[in-house]
Amino acid sequence: MSVTTSLGNAFKSLKAKFASSPTTLATPVFANLNIDAALTLALFEVLTAEAIKLKWQDNYLALEDGLLLAVERVETVTLAEDKFRTCTRIYVSHAEYFPQGLSEYQHAMGATESEAVLEGLRTWVKMDLLVLQDAVREQPLNCTVIEMNTSAEAAESTSFRQVILGPVAHLVSQPAPRKKEDHPFCPCCLFTESMPAFHDLLQTSDFIGIRLFASRDNEDKLAADCRVNGEDFIPAVEYLKQYAEKWPQRGLEFRKQYVVVRTSKHSVNQEQLVQLAQTRPTEF
């Protein structure tokens, strides 16, 4: 049974139940999208299961932190009687941080179309949404941040380019070897190893979402993929392959991550120092 069939009948009543009050604000970023009501409902249910507060606003979802979400169906491929591969695309915008919107694809597999779709949505919530929620906070709560001062010469116009690093999906088929990596794997590695490819983007003030993926199989065959705001970003691919080539051999291995780059007038590092100072006992 398809997701549209299984969820479509419930859509109208559930949307009405959780509908927001009428709004006069237009959302042009969603205006020309082929938003799938049943898939957006599926995302609603996934978010609700994670205790994330949200409501319906027109034909998309509005979170308390101002993030607006909508889902588009891309494709479903039947691989076997009990094996499906699905691809969806989630669009996100925020009135203050990225009103132009951004998007990312969700690829997943399951015994049914519905199971595959839900797996893709759940993974997006646990990996991508976590980063986006931190990216619309002045002080990120859950993610590691790389911070660069972009205007040190003029203190009154100082801004900070911040790379917010999401959790890493890491799969390996063999135990770690005795030989360790030169630099132990951490949330910074995928981005820092490919950072030269993003030089020009880091010089802008654009809010961007970056998907990083690198893999190596048990025959040392390398593969990599990078997308910026949902679109292929070829300059980073070779850097990611070179990084994967340095991994200790552990059979099939892949590492995948979503990061957000933003510009802020507030230093995350300075704020952390202030908070640390406030928690220290007074010295006499």
Side-chain angles (χ1 to χ4, degrees), residues 102-134:
L102 54 81
S103 67
E104 187 53 76
Y105 293 93
Q106 300 77 47
H107 300 273
M109 296 178 66
T112 66
E113 180 190 12
S114 179
E115 288 181 12
V117 166
L118 289 173
E119 177 62 25
L121 298 181
R122 292 188 188 106
T123 300
W124 181 85
V125 168
K126 292 182 181 298
M127 293 192 64
D128 296 26
L129 181 59
L130 185 74
V131 190
L132 290 166
Q133 288 179 311
D134 262 5

Side-chain angles (χ1 to χ4, degrees), residues 7 14 50 102 114 118 138 183 206 210 238 252:
L7 295 176
L14 190 58
E50 294 292 328
L102 54 81
S114 179
L118 289 173
E138 185 173 307
H183 176 72
D206 296 342
I210 302 173
E238 192 57 36
L252 174 63

Side-chain angles (χ1 to χ4, degrees), residues 145-147 160-164 260-262 264 266-268:
V145 180
I146 299 174
E147 183 172 87
F160 302 89
R161 201 69 167 133
Q162 296 166 348
V163 183
I164 303 173
V260 164
V261 182
R262 71 176 187 182
S264 175
H266 306 281
S267 168
V268 171

Side-chain angles (χ1 to χ4, degrees), residues 62-126:
L63 276 59
E64 281 193 333
D65 53 20
L67 291 171
L68 305 178
L69 316 175
V71 189
E72 184 179 58
R73 183 185 301 275
V74 179
E75 68 172 1
T76 296
V77 178
T78 304
L79 302 174
E81 184 178 350
D82 58 350
K83 191 173 185 180
F84 293 79
R85 183 177 72 235
T86 59
C87 178
T88 57
R89 190 174 190 177
I90 295 179
Y91 291 85
V92 191
S93 74
H94 190 282
E96 178 182 354
Y97 287 89
F98 53 109
Q100 77 285 356
L102 54 81
S103 67
E104 187 53 76
Y105 293 93
Q106 300 77 47
H107 300 273
M109 296 178 66
T112 66
E113 180 190 12
S114 179
E115 288 181 12
V117 166
L118 289 173
E119 177 62 25
L121 298 181
R122 292 188 188 106
T123 300
W124 181 85
V125 168
K126 292 182 181 298

